[in-house]
Amino acid sequence: FPGFDKQTEKDMSGYGLFCSNFEPLKPDVMKYLTEQIYFYDRFTESMQQHMKDASVEGAGNNICSAKPRMVDGAPTKNPRYLQVRPDVYAPQDRYLAELGARLYRGLSVDDPCLFPVAGVLGGRRNNPPDDLNGVKIRPLCVYNPLHYQELPELFTDYVTCVTGKSPSTTGAGSEGALSKGPFNAIGATADLNNALVSLILTQYGGFSSAAGYIGPNYKVDHDISLLVPE
């Protein structure tokens, strides 16, 4: 939705963007989009400027945040981009946050200012009943928003994370560690071994947080634990 996510539009209108599953738009197509006032006027100023710059002849292919790649005549449901970490992009914000913590705790500039992690929550993909090209997809949404699991069950979930519906497999499949090879430079067995030893040593029985759906009716576009601090 144009103008809805202001941070995304700012990120995607900058230089050095890494993205996937967005439609490559030629200058003439981008120019056409800028002329559709009902559409163009809803974008933030940064995306509007990006679209103007990309509509000039010779600009080459470019992307628009509201135009995901078309697959079999329909927009893909899996557009992605790599966001620059906010503390890298805006270091002043991090500095001010740390300074505020130092003042509140009465710490000098030489004292360490620690921010301990109070919990590690894995995202658990849930889905309601659905239909895909006439094939019924079974519901898998019995987990609480924050769901406690003992270590054996939790780790089994980490390994497979069986889901009723996965965008990457378009059906029942796995979203766990064994399907994440393209996103992880560490071998699956080494990564899982390290995680298991860490969990055993810390006696950690963990919480997983709902991603996708909480029950059959309440949709969460991402991991609910990301929303808690906000």
Side-chain angles (χ1 to χ4, degrees):
F1 298 101
F4 178 74
D5 192 329
K6 295 176 174 56
Q7 184 62 51
T8 293
E9 292 192 9
K10 185 176 181 179
D11 294 337
M12 297 194 72
S13 60
Y15 293 98
L17 177 71
F18 180 89
C19 67
S20 64
N21 288 338
F22 283 89
E23 193 71 15
L25 304 174
K26 296 182 181 298
D28 59 330
V29 177
M30 196 70 85
K31 187 173 188 301
Y32 170 79
L33 294 177
T34 63
E35 293 170 349
Q36 308 305 303
I37 301 302
Y38 68 93
F39 175 75
Y40 177 74
D41 197 48
R42 293 161 64 190
F43 285 104
T44 57
E45 186 177 342
S46 57
M47 182 53 66
Q48 287 179 347
Q49 187 60 51
H50 167 75
M51 292 172 70
K52 278 184 181 178
D53 294 342
S55 65
V56 178
E57 187 176 350
N61 288 338
N62 241 301
I63 53 97
C64 170
S65 58
K67 291 294 180 181
R69 185 182 294 276
M70 301 297 290
V71 179
D72 296 329
T76 177
K77 295 180 179 180
N78 206 23
R80 302 292 176 102
Y81 82 95
L82 190 62
Q83 182 183 19
V84 177
R85 274 176 29 202
D87 60 316
V88 173
Y89 183 80
Q92 183 180 2
D93 292 346
R94 182 187 179 193
Y95 173 78
L96 292 174
E98 183 177 316
L99 184 61
R102 286 184 178 278
L103 292 172
Y104 180 78
R105 299 178 193 177
L107 299 174
S108 74
V109 292
D110 298 320
D111 292 328
C113 188
L114 305 177
F115 298 92
V117 176
V120 179
L121 286 73
R124 180 66 165 75
R125 180 181 293 280
N126 303 322
N127 65 276
D130 205 349
D131 188 281
L132 182 67
N133 300 325
V135 178
K136 291 192 178 301
I137 297 173
R138 293 170 294 180
L140 190 61
C141 48
V142 295
Y143 282 55
N144 295 316
L146 298 178
H147 191 85
Y148 179 79
Q149 293 171 287
E150 298 286 350
L151 179 53
E153 182 189 9
L154 175 71
F155 201 72
T156 300
D157 221 2
Y158 280 174
V159 174
T160 60
C161 195
V162 176
T163 174
K165 183 181 181 183
S166 165
S168 57
T169 59
T170 60
S174 171
E175 283 279 312
L178 299 184
S179 68
K180 296 305 179 190
F183 311 102
N184 192 353
I186 304 174
T189 52
D191 210 9
L192 290 170
N193 282 342
N194 290 339
L196 180 59
V197 170
S198 299
L199 293 170
I200 291 172
L201 290 176
T202 58
Q203 298 182 343
Y204 184 80
F207 287 88
S208 55
S209 72
Y213 277 82
I214 302 169
N217 300 319
Y218 296 97
K219 184 177 180 181
V220 183
D221 278 335
H222 211 287
D223 178 348
I224 193 173
S225 67
L226 296 178
L227 305 178
V228 173
E230 298 178 5

